[in-house]
């Protein structure tokens, strides 16, 4: 893959610039968009970049100026703990990316690049990894970053007392750590893990000061200490987190634009749950950046010449409807295909998302280089759907127009999480309900809050469900589609909502995860890519999921904000290179 | 009363299907491990039978301990204390502004003929029927987006208070105004007003010194109820205007089945309601003209 000259996306102030990190969609020919598309994508990206950088900005200075306070308004839930080791969800990642850093990062092409670790090597059997740490980095409490610090972090993540979910799962194969020297740390694995570097790049595995980790969990949750460009100064619950500049900052990721301290003096991180208020606050100049921009505000912003839209889809899985193949009616592949063919997604997405979301036909996010797109499988075709249902024994219809078989109506129970599905997505599900009815499906949508929704899933009381899953890299497929993910743990939790149980798929996913080196190039990388391609074909051709679009992640930036970008890891905003042109 | 509130709240929250442990660890983009779930259940006693959990909760409440939040990593007492200020300021100011609007409208439109009365009644009915979320959004669009004169979110200074207070005050003013007008009209037709006029009292004097005191009584009693409704209105208003406060705390806590916080907030609100009812009873006593008129009969 060609290296990008500049992975940073300068944002233009005057004109609306949509940053497009997506792969181009394959055209009429249903092609497998893996390596070829990735190359084409990189080329397109290069062109887009040239276009961006050459556009002149109006007024003010073009040189970054230091100082000022940036106010960020988040629509995500306020974290209950600012340490992303504890639990580990997206709201935590959003804010902790400002003050915590990871061992490695990703560049815009999805390649692993150095961050707190300068370099790394892996043994031929893939069971031993050595990371050499960057020189002269200290945490903001003065503790030096050394091998022992990394060991303390891994121990913290693996300690059940910490209550880590995301980081804990990501380190499942790590059985031991060792300080080879002050600056070299070795991780020992039980089995090879081709996803290790991608896991370590995630903000949920950020490296914190070992001294600070020894405080009580309450203290550490209130103000975690890292190496990042900003420091947690105060946190007034339900109001704001104040972050101040780290004057001694020395560890930007390899793709940053400058060295030394950040330009911004302070970031005020606010929580504004209401979407309309958030946008109004941006328009009124009370805040400079908002997240969770909804389709209606994005289209308003596109019309404005002062607000810049940053479209940064999250990595991992695409947003998709998972069809429960573990029980009737979706234990029949023909019925699953019939449902998919009877849902008119394209028109609904176009009207509800007003151009802000692009239809996906992949199990993976479009930012995943190894994603396979199969638009041929997900066309709206009610005639084909009707034929499939006739053939599967659902030929009769009852007086309400729904199909029946042996006196049972063709019912699809679809619990919807109002916390995880934005209003436009909830409307999309209603439109799917309406179009699937024409073919004879009785789709029963129930809107539930998060904990009721978890309960519906845990008790297997669903036929279809849509759950986002953010993770770097294609290993997310193993979590979502390996049969190990069906058996609910004693807690009732499981991730394989489609309940896919295919030994061939299991062995492909296990093998891909255990390709002996995690290097992202060379012969092993090709082998890994080929395995994931085969696995995705099995998943898509089995009609276990109905892909919708990428996991939406839109930021709107006020007119004064320059140099902000989304980190290519999990698409959280990065303000290290940002400055205010007021 | 407080025991009943605690009991009803506890079971109402716990009987909604949903697992607090999932909600504590869950949240967008998180990946919950079974080990972590088990740890959380054990930590908060969620693995105990519901009745045991209820009795434990009640025992803690009896000793004045509101317990510890499942989700927020802090004790409920300090949490409520840190959030109550914002809600009280909002509720008290809204009540004051609602009274002001209701008084102005009722006194202006009474005794000025049919048209004025109709305008007054019409405005009150419309105001009382306005839902908070609609009013809040409309005010934001007009004053923040179009005119840019007031911030749509809370600010360090008082400017951020204007829109939320007005949002809460307008529907309340409608209610208070309706009650006030009705009793004002009744009072103006009653014999004591006639006798006051007979003693040469002016129209304004009658209105302000006699009739209004009668008319205010039902509205004062209503203020106790109004205070409760303001706190429930705060759930909507604090969320839309991104203000810290008990309403937003309550909403978040219900979403994640954070029983100690829900019970704690509801208890505090119930306590505030009881206190407010006592205050309005006292205020009615002070405003009630009957004892004073007997005492000062000769003077008026």
């Amino acid at each position: 893959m060609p290296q990008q000259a500049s992975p940073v996306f300068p944002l233009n102030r005057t004109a609306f610039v949509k940053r497009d990190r997506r792969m181009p969609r394959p055209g009429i020919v249903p092609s497998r968009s893996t390596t070829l598309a990735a190359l084409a994508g990189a080329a397109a990206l290069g062109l887009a970049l040239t276009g961006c950088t050459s556009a002149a900005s109006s007024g003010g200075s073009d040189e970054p100026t230091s100082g000022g306070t940036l106010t960020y308004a988040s629509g995500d839930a306020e974290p209950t703990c600012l340490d992303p080791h504890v639990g580990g969800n997206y709201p935590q990642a959003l804010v902790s990316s400002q003050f915590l850093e990871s061992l490695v990062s990703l560049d815009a092409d999805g390649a692993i690049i150095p961050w707190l670790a300068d370099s790394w090597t892996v043994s031929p059997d893939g069971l031993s990894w050595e990371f050499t740490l960057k020189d002269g980095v200290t945490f903001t409490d003065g503790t030096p970053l050394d091998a022992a610090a990394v060991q303390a972090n891994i121990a913290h993540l693996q300690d059940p007392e910490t209550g880590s979910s995301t980081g804990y799962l990501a380190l499942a194969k790590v059985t031991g750590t060792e300080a080879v020297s002050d600056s070299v740390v070795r991780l020992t694995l039980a089995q090879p893990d081709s996803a290790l570097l991608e896991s370590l790049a995630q903000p949920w595995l950020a490296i914190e000061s070992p001294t600070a980790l020894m405080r009580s969990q309450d203290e550490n949750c209130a103000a975690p200490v890292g190496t990042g460009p900003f420091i947690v100064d105060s946190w007034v619950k339900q109001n704001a987190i104040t972050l101040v500049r780290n004057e001694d900052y020395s560890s930007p990721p390899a793709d940053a634009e400058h060295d030394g301290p950040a330009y911004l003096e302070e970031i005020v991180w606010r929580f504004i749950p209401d979407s309309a208020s958030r946008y109004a606050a941006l328009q009124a100049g009370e805040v400079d950046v908002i997240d969770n921009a909804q389709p209606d505000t994005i289209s308003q912003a596109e019309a404005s010449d002062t607000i810049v839209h940053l479209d940064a889809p999250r990595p991992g899985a695409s947003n998709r409807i998972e069809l429960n193949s573990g029980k009737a009616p979706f234990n029949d592949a023909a019925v699953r295909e019939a449902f998919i063919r009877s849902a008119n997604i394209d028109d609904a997405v176009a009207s509800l998302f007003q151009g802000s979301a692009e239809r996906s036909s992949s199990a993976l996010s479009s930012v995943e280089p190894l994603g396979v797109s199969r638009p041929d499988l997900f066309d709206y075709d009610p005639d084909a759907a009707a034929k499939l249902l006739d053939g599967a024994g659902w030929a009769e219809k009852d007086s309400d127009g729904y199909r029946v078989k042996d006196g049972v109506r063709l019912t699809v129970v679809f619990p919807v999480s109002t916390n995880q599905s934005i209003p436009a997505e909830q409307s999309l599900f209603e439109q799917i309900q309406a179009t699937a009815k024409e073919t004879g499906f009785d789709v029963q949508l129930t809107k539930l809050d998060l904990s009721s929704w978890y309960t519906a899933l845990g008790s297997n009381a669903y036929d279809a469900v849509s759950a986002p899953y953010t993770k770097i890299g294609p290993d997310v497929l193993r979590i979502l589609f390996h049969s190990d993910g069906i058996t609910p743990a004693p807690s009732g939790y499981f991730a394989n909502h489609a309940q896919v149980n295919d030994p061939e798929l299991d062995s492909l996913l296990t093998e891909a995860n255990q390709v002996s080196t995690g290097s992202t190039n060379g012969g092993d990388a090709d082998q890994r890519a080929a395995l994931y391609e085969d696995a995705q074909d099995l998943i898509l051709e089995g009609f276990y999921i109905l892909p919708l679009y990428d996991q939406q992640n839109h930021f709107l930036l006020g007119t004064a904000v320059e140099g902000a970008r989304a980190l290519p890891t999990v698409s959280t905003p990065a303000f290290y290179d940002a400055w205010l042109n007021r | 009363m407080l025991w009943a509130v605690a009991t009803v709240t506890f079971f109402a929250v716990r009987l909604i299907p949903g697992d607090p442990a999932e909600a504590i660890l869950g949240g967008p983009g998180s990946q919950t491990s079974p080990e972590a779930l088990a740890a959380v259940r054990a930590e908060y006693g969620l693995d105990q039978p519901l009745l045991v959990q209820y009795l434990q909760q009640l025992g803690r409440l009896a000793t004045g301990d509101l317990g510890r939040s499942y989700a927020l990593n802090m004790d409920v007492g300090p949490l409520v204390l840190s959030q109550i200020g914002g809600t009280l300021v909002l509720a008290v100011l809204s009540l004051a502004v609602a009274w002001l609007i209701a008084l102005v409208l009722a006194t202006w439109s009474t005794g000025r003929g049919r048209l004025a009365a109709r305008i007054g009644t019409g405005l009150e009915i419309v105001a009382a029927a306005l839902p908070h979320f609609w009013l809040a959004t409309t005010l934001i669009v007009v004053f923040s987006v179009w005119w840019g004169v007031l911030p749509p979110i809370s600010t360090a200074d008082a400017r951020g208070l204007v829109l939320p207070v007005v949002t809460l005050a307008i529907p309340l003013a409608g209610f208070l105004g309706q009650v006030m007008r009705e009793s004002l009209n009744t009072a103006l037709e009653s014999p004591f007003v006639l006798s006051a006029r007979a003693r040469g009292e002016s129209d304004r004097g009658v209105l302000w010194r006699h009739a209004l005191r009668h008319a205010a009584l039902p509205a004062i009693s209503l203020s106790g109820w109004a205070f409760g409704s303001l706190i429930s209105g705060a759930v909507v208003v604090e969320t839309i205007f991104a203000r810290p406060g008990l309403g937003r705390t309550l909403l978040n806590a219900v979403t994640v089945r954070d029983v100690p916080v829900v019970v704690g907030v509801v208890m505090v609100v119930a306590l505030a309601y009881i206190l407010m009812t006592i205050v309005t009873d006292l205020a009615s006593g002070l405003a009630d003209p009957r004892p004073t008129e007997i005492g000062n009969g000769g003077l008026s």
Side-chain angles (χ1 to χ4, degrees), chain B residues 141-152:
Chain B
V141 168
V142 173
F143 290 96
S144 303
V145 179
W146 290 355
W147 295 346
V149 288
L150 288 166

Side-chain angles (χ1 to χ4, degrees), chain A residues 14-25:
Chain A
T14 49
F16 164 75
V17 178
K18 184 176 169 188
R19 207 192 82 191
D20 202 341
R21 270 172 41 181
R22 296 153 196 271
M23 306 289 173
R25 299 281 144 202

Side-chain angles (χ1 to χ4, degrees), chain A residues 76 80-81 87-91 160 163-166 168-169 204 218 221 237-239 270-274 277 280-281 283-284 286-287 419-420 449-452 454-455 469-470 489 491 493, chain B residues 16-19 22-23 25-37 41 68 71-74 83 140 144-145 151-155 159 239-240 242-245 248-249 252 255 257:
Chain A
D76 265 291
T80 55
C81 173
N89 61 24
Y90 203 78
S164 169
S165 302
T166 313
Y168 182 91
L169 285 181
W204 301 292
D218 285 1
C221 280
K237 293 215 169 148
Q238 300 203 78
N239 192 14
R270 299 198 50 162
F271 300 94
I272 306 185
D274 185 71
S277 313
Q283 285 176 302
E286 296 283 337
V287 303
N419 297 68
Q420 301 191 93
D449 68 19
L450 197 58
S451 43
S452 309
Y454 274 125
T455 305
Y469 207 106
T470 306
S491 65
Y493 175 79
Chain B
I16 313 171
D19 180 350
E22 283 280 12
L25 286 173
S30 76
Q31 288 111 56
T32 326
S33 70
E35 291 84 355
L37 278 174
R41 289 215 175 85
R68 190 174 167 80
L72 297 176
N73 282 309
M74 64 188 294
Q83 299 296 328
I140 286 178
S144 303
V145 179
I153 52 172
S154 67
T155 50
R159 290 186 312 138
T239 304
I240 292 182
R243 297 191 60 77
R248 211 166 142 193
T249 310
N252 291 337
T255 313
R257 305 284 187 275

Side-chain angles (χ1 to χ4, degrees), chain A residues 53-95:
Chain A
T53 40
S54 62
S57 81
S58 78
S61 161
D62 288 340
E63 281 302 303
T65 48
S66 192
T69 297
L70 178 142
T71 307
Y72 182 96
S74 180
D76 265 291
E78 182 167 2
T80 55
C81 173
L82 300 186
D83 173 4
H85 290 187
V86 178
N89 61 24
Y90 203 78
Q92 286 175 307
L94 278 171
V95 65

